[in-house]
Amino acid sequence: DAKTTQPNSMESNEEEPVHLPCNHSTISGTDYIHWYRQLPSQGPEYVIHGLTSNVNNRMASLAIAEDRKSSTLILHRATLRDAAVYYCILSAYSGAGSYQLTFGKGTKLSVIP
Amino acid sequence: DVKVTQSSRYLVKRTGEKVFLECVQDMDHENMFWYRQDPGLGLRLIYFSYDVKMKEKGDIPEGYSVSREKKERFSLILESASTNQTSMYLCASSLQGASTDTQYFGPGTRLTVL
């Protein structure tokens, strides 16, 4: 299984940018990089995904290293609502005509008012 | 908006009881998943289904079974609940199971087995 490595926890001040790193040195050429987050007492929710190029959406930006062995989720301006556990995940083919997401332990982001 | 609902937010059962956890999605998704989440272990996949009546084991299927008789509904069954199955159970669905698909999660069921 393709694995990812993330810091256990990070802190950010409110209204400042946050860069959440992820290492995935064993990534294969067809693996997409997905980010999900889990707010307290809720199920995970999709944030963003990408393959090679940097990606932007209304929630965040995803910067992918040229060798694809690492990526960074960027929250441009952290709010208290962004306090959550952030998961960096590689999609993996399950062999049953479907791709799975294997969740690790994620990074717990705390936002300081 | 995609909606994934789970039958209960909280459930308390006794050891040995048969437990049914129900999950329903309203977006005609092909794939559905059951995970459990425990402190320090993250989310672990129990079973998934890529079509009606089709199922595949995930990483930790022991002690569980599943049923998918209709496309929108995916049930997780604990045949004889044990205390080590006390956990948060999360259901998810995705459109087709492609590598770019988004998984949509329900709110979770916190199961306590006494």
Side-chain angles (χ1 to χ4, degrees):
Chain A
D1 285 350
K3 299 283 187 217
T4 62
T5 305
Q6 301 176 252
N8 289 333
S9 62
M10 291 184 65
E11 273 188 1
S12 172
N13 292 319
E14 195 177 8
E15 299 189 7
E16 289 188 359
V18 183
H19 290 234
L20 297 164
C22 180
N23 287 317
H24 28 78
S25 57
T26 60
I27 192 170
S28 71
T30 57
D31 286 344
Y32 275 79
I33 302 158
H34 296 254
W35 284 81
Y36 282 72
R37 72 179 186 181
Q38 188 172 19
L39 302 170
S41 302
Q42 295 186 28
E45 64 176 353
Y46 168 81
V47 178
I48 201 166
H49 75 272
L51 183 63
T52 55
S53 304
N54 293 345
V55 185
N56 300 294
N57 66 20
R58 64 174 179 80
M59 288 181 73
S61 296
L62 176 60
I64 301 172
E66 198 168 332
D67 64 4
R68 301 209 329 122
K69 293 183 184 296
S70 65
S71 62
T72 303
L73 180 71
I74 302 164
L75 307 179
H76 295 287
R77 196 163 158 267
T79 68
L80 296 178
R81 198 195 171 278
D82 292 322
V85 178
Y86 286 79
Y87 298 96
C88 169
I89 305 158
L90 303 180
S91 57
Y93 186 63
S94 69
S98 179
Y99 282 80
Q100 291 180 31
L101 301 177
T102 300
F103 286 76
K105 297 178 186 179
T107 296
K108 184 174 183 179
L109 175 67
S110 301
V111 180
I112 302 165
Chain B
D1 275 357
V2 176
K3 194 163 186 183
V4 179
T5 56
Q6 296 183 229
S7 50
S8 307
R9 287 303 301 268
Y10 299 93
L11 208 54
V12 180
K13 295 291 181 181
R14 297 212 173 268
T15 300
E17 280 193 77
K18 191 169 185 176
V19 181
F20 292 87
L21 302 182
E22 302 282 332
C23 175
V24 177
Q25 50 93 4
D26 66 357
M27 283 300 291
D28 202 34
H29 282 176
E30 300 284 342
N31 285 35
M32 297 187 74
F33 307 82
W34 275 107
Y35 296 86
R36 65 177 282 177
Q37 184 172 29
D38 300 289
L41 296 177
L43 277 81
R44 293 179 291 167
L45 182 65
I46 304 171
Y47 267 98
F48 71 97
S49 168
Y50 53 92
D51 201 351
V52 174
K53 298 190 186 293
M54 306 304 288
K55 60 186 179 184
E56 287 288 332
K57 293 179 180 179
D59 299 319
I60 51 163
E62 297 79 19
Y64 303 94
S65 62
V66 290
S67 171
R68 193 160 178 211
E69 297 296 318
K70 293 185 178 182
K71 193 174 187 180
E72 68 270 18
R73 190 178 298 269
F74 191 34
S75 303
L76 180 70
I77 304 154
L78 287 66
E79 294 288 343
S80 177
S82 63
T83 54
N84 63 12
Q85 292 179 309
T86 291
S87 187
M88 171 68 83
Y89 290 88
L90 290 156
C91 175
S93 72
S94 68
L95 183 60
Q96 290 180 321
S99 60
T100 55
D101 274 1
T102 296
Q103 286 192 19
Y104 296 88
F105 284 81
T109 295
R110 186 165 293 282
L111 172 67
T112 302
V113 182
L114 303 175

